[in-house]
């Protein structure tokens, strides 16, 4: 269905809105259910397209699932019926790769389609080489043929692994695989994202012996078997950040509740640098937007640095700033696709490789624009909220992958935004 969002810009957003649970914590948590024959109960899985994709993927592997949005989701893989994550699912969601580690650890065999040319690109097209090198260190035989990775291991053995770069799902795959390996695994240069720490907490609740999840060094002592657990997923720091930028870019006054400010320090600092007035009380973050944002430079980096998943949203804000901003994207190649669409709304943005130079303008003009990937679509929605006139964002399915009814949340804050089928 070619849904699109139609936005009448110019209304300052005001009010309170609740952050949903984190997509990037829910997906690995769901995959962790492969590690045990017992039920894993996740209390607050968000209603997202990527969650549905992961659910379908796990059901294809033999999971029984029940429950869903608004209630707890139960996943139980009493028996692994299939060892293959098929291309048609993996090609729609790069994160499918997080079934590789747990599937291999549980059964000794895993076949996962290589992620295709994901829109935001992997370094030189080797999007999961760190995952594979790590699994090989744990004793897996890895072969790549016909677009699939095949991993085999009679029993994984603990090892010392230092990844060449910080990889979030790579860390998650290796932590899950090591949980059932024989002996101790030490992951160095591990990703410190809150979603990694959250997965660590779930695995420990399932009986894993893990120290240091959420730090750059994780020690995992393998156990013979894991059990079920009940787990509440952390708030989505990227959705919360997106909602705060909506308050800032519209010159409004927005409070995001059920958030985790501790996971958002870089985003909050950058919003304040742009002139937003922030107040943090417990799990509530209030953002009063400036009349006009100030320019600020951004360099994306692994947690706790500025998150790449907020880069497009901040570019939309900086496009209206009083001055020149430089954005350096160090995590993904080709993650400036929103710039071309923002330019069509009047933004003055020059991109060269991993650097974008943004010369702030007084206002955007509403325009028909096209979403290219999940966070790029959020960037365009934010620009539409501030633009003069009407903005139509097409290919909204990108947005639905990672935001639970974003337009309803924005409507509740006074935005004039409609989804047109
Ligand atoms: C996770 O992706 C997130 N997804 C991404 O969020 C996020 O942008 C990214 O981490 C960085 O924070 C999930 O957690 C499901 P990486 P991931 O492995 O794990 C390269 C969103 O919008 N790399 O940390 O796939 C890679 O190409 C999504 O919610 C290799 O070269 O990212 C990238 O350039 C988008 N080889 C960089 O490292 C590898 O084996 C970081 O990737 C692994 C990664």
């Amino acid at each position: 269905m070619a849904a699109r969002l139609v936005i009448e810009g110019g209304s300052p957003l005001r009010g309170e809105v609740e952050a949903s649970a984190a997509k990037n914590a829910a997906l690995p948590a769901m995959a962790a259910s492969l590690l045990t024959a017992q039920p894993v109960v996740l209390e607050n899985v968000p209603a997202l397209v990527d969650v549905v994709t992961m659910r379908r993927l796990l059901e294809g592997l033999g999971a029984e699932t029940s429950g869903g949005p608004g209630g707890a989701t139960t996943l139980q893989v009493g028996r692994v019926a299939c060892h293959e994550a098929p291309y048609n699912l993996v090609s729609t969601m790069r994160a499918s790769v997080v079934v590789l580690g747990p599937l291999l650890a549980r059964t000794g065999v895993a076949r996962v389609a290589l992620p295709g040319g994901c829109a935001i690109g992997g370094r030189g097209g080797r999007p999961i080489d760190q995952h594979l090198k790590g699994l090989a260190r744990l004793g897996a035989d890895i072969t790549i043929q016909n677009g699939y990775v095949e991993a085999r291991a009679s029993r994984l053995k603990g090892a010392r692994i230092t990844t060449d770069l910080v990889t979030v799902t790579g860390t998650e795959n290796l932590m899950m695989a090591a949980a059932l390996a024989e002996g101790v695994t030490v992951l160095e240069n591990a990703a410190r994202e809150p979603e990694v720490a959250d997965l660590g907490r779930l695995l420990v609740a399932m009986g894993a012996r893990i120290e240091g999840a959420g730090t750059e060094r994780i020690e995992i002592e393998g156990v013979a078997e894991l059990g079920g657990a009940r787990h509440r997923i952390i708030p989505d720091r990227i959705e919360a950040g997106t909602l705060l930028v909506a308050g800032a870019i519209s010159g409004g006054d927005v409070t995001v509740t059920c958030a985790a400010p501790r996971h958002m320090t870089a985003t909050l600092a950058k919003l304040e640098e742009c002139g937003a007035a922030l107040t943090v009380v417990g799990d509530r973050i209030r953002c009063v937007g400036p009349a006009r944002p100030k320019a600020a430079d951004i360099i994306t980096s692994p947690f706790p640095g500025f998150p790449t998943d907020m880069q497009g949203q901040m570019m939309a804000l900086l496009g209206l700033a009083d001055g020149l901003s430089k954005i350096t994207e160090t995590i993904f190649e080709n993650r400036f696709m929103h710039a071309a669409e923002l330019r069509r709304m009047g933004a003055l943005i020059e991109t060269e490789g991993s650097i974008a130079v943004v010369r702030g303008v007084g206002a955007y003009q509403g325009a028909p624009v096209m979403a290219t990937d999940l966070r790029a679509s959020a960037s365009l929605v934010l620009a539409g909220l501030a633009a003069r006139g009407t903005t139509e964002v097409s290919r909204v399915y990108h947005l639905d992958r990672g935001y639970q009814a974003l337009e309803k949340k924005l409507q509740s804050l006074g935005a004039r935004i409609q989804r047109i089928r």
Side-chain angles (χ1 to χ4, degrees):
M1 109 219 105
R4 57 193 197 285
L5 293 178
V6 178
I7 308 162
E8 293 302 326
S11 316
L13 300 195
R14 289 202 174 81
E16 283 193 8
V17 66
E18 190 172 300
S20 302
K23 165 177 84 77
N24 292 347
L27 296 175
M30 293 169 75
S33 64
L34 287 162
L35 289 165
T36 175
Q38 304 303 317
V40 171
V41 181
L42 302 174
E43 292 184 346
N44 55 338
V45 175
L48 302 170
V49 168
D50 274 7
V51 166
V52 172
T53 303
M54 179 60 80
R55 199 166 171 160
R56 290 226 314 269
L57 175 55
L58 292 169
E59 286 168 351
L61 299 174
E64 302 279 321
T65 71
S66 60
T73 300
T74 300
L75 303 105
Q76 182 162 12
V77 189
R79 196 177 63 80
V80 174
C82 167
H83 298 85
E84 180 170 307
Y87 179 63
N88 67 309
L89 287 177
V90 176
S91 61
T92 63
M93 183 178 70
R94 166 198 181 95
S96 307
V97 72
V98 289
V99 303
L100 176 58
L103 190 55
L104 178 64
R106 172 80 183 274
T107 68
V109 181
R111 249 173 79 80
V112 175
L114 277 170
C118 171
I120 51 178
R123 277 186 197 295
R126 295 183 319 283
I128 60 167
D129 62 322
Q130 300 299 314
H131 301 235
L132 303 181
K133 281 171 72 173
L135 291 175
R137 290 278 298 156
L138 294 172
D141 289 323
I142 306 279
T143 53
I144 292 180
Q145 53 196 13
N146 312 108
Y148 277 78
V149 173
E150 185 152 312
R152 289 179 179 278
S154 48
R155 180 83 200 270
L156 293 171
K157 289 183 180 46
R160 298 188 71 83
I161 300 169
T162 302
T163 50
D164 300 331
L165 49 79
V166 174
T167 160
V168 175
T169 50
T171 302
E172 291 164 350
N173 250 333
L174 296 174
M175 190 163 65
M176 287 192 277
L180 287 178
E182 194 174 335
V184 174
T185 296
V186 178
L187 295 183
E188 301 275 6
N189 201 21
R192 295 182 276 173
E193 269 68 7
E195 294 77 25
V196 175
D198 200 43
L199 177 64
R201 274 190 292 278
L202 167 58
L203 294 172
V204 166
M206 293 166 67
R209 296 200 194 119
I210 298 175
E211 296 281 332
T215 74
E216 74 283 359
R217 183 182 188 279
I218 306 176
E219 190 162 321
I220 304 114
E221 184 184 347
V223 295
E225 201 172 70
L226 290 173
R230 172 178 278 273
H231 179 71
R232 185 161 187 77
I233 292 161
I234 55 171
D236 194 314
R237 60 195 167 95
I238 305 302
E239 187 212 19
T242 305
L243 292 165
L244 292 173
V245 174
I249 202 169
S250 64
D253 181 351
V254 168
T255 297
V256 178
T257 63
C258 301
R262 284 174 301 104
H263 299 162
M264 302 175 65
T265 50
T267 299
L268 300 183
K270 201 49 74 175
L271 276 170
E272 285 186 327
E273 195 180 332
C274 292
L278 299 184
T279 314
V280 177
V281 179
D283 68 359
R284 300 163 62 85
I285 309 169
R286 181 181 178 190
C287 173
V288 178
R292 184 174 187 191
K294 292 188 202 124
D297 295 339
I298 289 181
I299 302 173
T300 63
S301 64
F303 191 87
F306 188 89
T308 174
D309 292 349
M310 282 298 302
Q311 179 257 105
Q313 296 89 311
M314 286 304 287
M315 185 185 280
L317 181 64
L318 293 168
L320 294 171
D322 179 10
L324 204 67
S325 305
K326 180 176 171 187
I327 300 176
T328 309
E329 173 54 68
T330 71
I331 306 292
F332 284 106
E333 295 160 3
N334 188 27
R335 200 175 194 176
F336 287 141
M337 288 183 282
H338 38 282
E341 295 304 295
L342 290 171
R343 277 197 285 269
R344 298 185 56 251
M345 298 176 71
L348 296 177
I349 304 169
E350 300 290 321
T351 62
E352 177 74 36
S354 65
I355 291 176
V357 175
V358 182
R359 188 183 306 277
V361 295
Y364 292 136
Q365 297 99 37
V369 290
M370 188 178 288
T372 49
D373 61 85
L374 167 55
R375 304 305 174 181
S377 36
S379 170
L380 299 175
V381 168
L382 293 170
L385 293 174
R388 288 196 186 125
T390 306
T391 299
E392 281 203 15
V393 183
S394 60
R395 301 193 178 180
V396 174
Y397 57 84
H398 287 293
L399 195 72
D400 297 338
R401 292 189 47 187
Y403 290 95
Q404 183 169 317
L406 183 63
E407 78 273 11
K408 289 194 174 57
K409 293 195 177 185
L410 295 173
Q411 280 164 4
S412 74
L413 296 170
R416 289 173 293 167
I417 179 170
Q418 295 296 333
R419 179 179 291 247
I420 312 285
R421 298 250 172 264

